[in-house]
Amino acid sequence: MFQLMSVNFDDNIPNWRTQLETIAYNVLVVVKSGKVRYEINEEEVIAEQEDVLFIPQSTRRSGGNWNDTEHQKFTVLFTLDHPESTGIPFLDERRFMRMNLSHIQYAYRRCERLYEEMRGGKSYRTLICQGIMQELIGMLARELDKTEVAPNKRYYADTIKSYLLEHYREPVEIESLSRLVQRSPGYTAALFKEVYGLSPIRYMHQLRVQEACRLLLHSDMSIAHIAQYLGYYDTSYFYRMFKKQTGLSPSSYIHQMDLSDESILFT
């Protein structure tokens, strides 16, 4: 069904951009951090952390860093053997799509594995890559089959998510988030979980632990310093939250995590 052309991981590339052109292939974009700006058929699209985009063949598209900031994203370029009928609505309709996945961390891991397999030369690489790609497309199709969230709920949840992405290192309480959307604390927590599959506070801790993993591997900050930097002024509480999210203590994570396999997180 799928003919994979390339799988790329754009890792905070300064001055990243792609020229305006009518593409002869499909593109699946999974944004891991930051924001990226696209022009899709003369309309501006700003994709941010956890967004998934499907850009169909024959789209007039360009892209670049948003406001000169860097980002991380996976991009999968592919064509279809039988584009006239796949049985998957968004592929058959060849329509641009932007969405969130309930299991985005799992999607990151699958993209990481796909990226590694495409770069390697191990036996059965093509078969494995086909399987991963079919799984990713299946996840998107299943998500789209779910009952549509009411537009006002989506707006409130997206407002809260954007706030948390910007302020996750600061003290956050459900009461302050409810004031942000002018709804009750109980309603605010319930609608966010309905849209994103977890509570706002758990999402905040997930963002903090994701950043902690990056800092543990790519900085010389001490564990205590990282905890304080991320808003955990009780280091023992940071340890508990880190282990709850990853299954490892911070020190065990440093010793056991291979730099090439960061994707083993949040199982």
Side-chain angles (χ1 to χ4, degrees), residues 82-123:
H82 305 287
E84 66 281 355
S85 180
T86 67
I88 301 171
F90 73 88
L91 291 181
D92 292 342
E93 295 167 11
R94 297 188 183 184
R95 57 184 169 92
F96 170 75
M97 181 186 68
R98 174 183 176 180
M99 65 178 297
N100 296 109
L101 282 173
S102 300
H103 304 288
I104 189 63
Q105 298 300 328
Y106 181 74
Y108 289 152
R109 296 199 296 272
R110 302 310 288 153
C111 288
E112 177 75 21
R113 178 68 187 278
L114 183 61
Y115 175 64
E116 292 175 354
E117 287 289 343
M118 285 291 288
R119 288 170 41 184
K122 296 180 181 178
S123 56

Side-chain angles (χ1 to χ4, degrees), residues 1-5 26 28 54 76-83 86 88 90-91 126 129-138:
M1 181 184 289
F2 305 106
Q3 291 294 325
L4 288 168
M5 298 172 60
N26 303 289
L28 186 68
F54 170 67
V76 183
L77 279 58
F78 66 99
T79 58
L80 300 171
D81 288 337
H82 305 287
T86 67
I88 301 171
F90 73 88
L91 291 181
T126 300
C129 289
Q130 283 281 340
I132 296 172
M133 187 62 188
Q134 289 186 39
E135 183 181 12
L136 287 170
I137 294 297

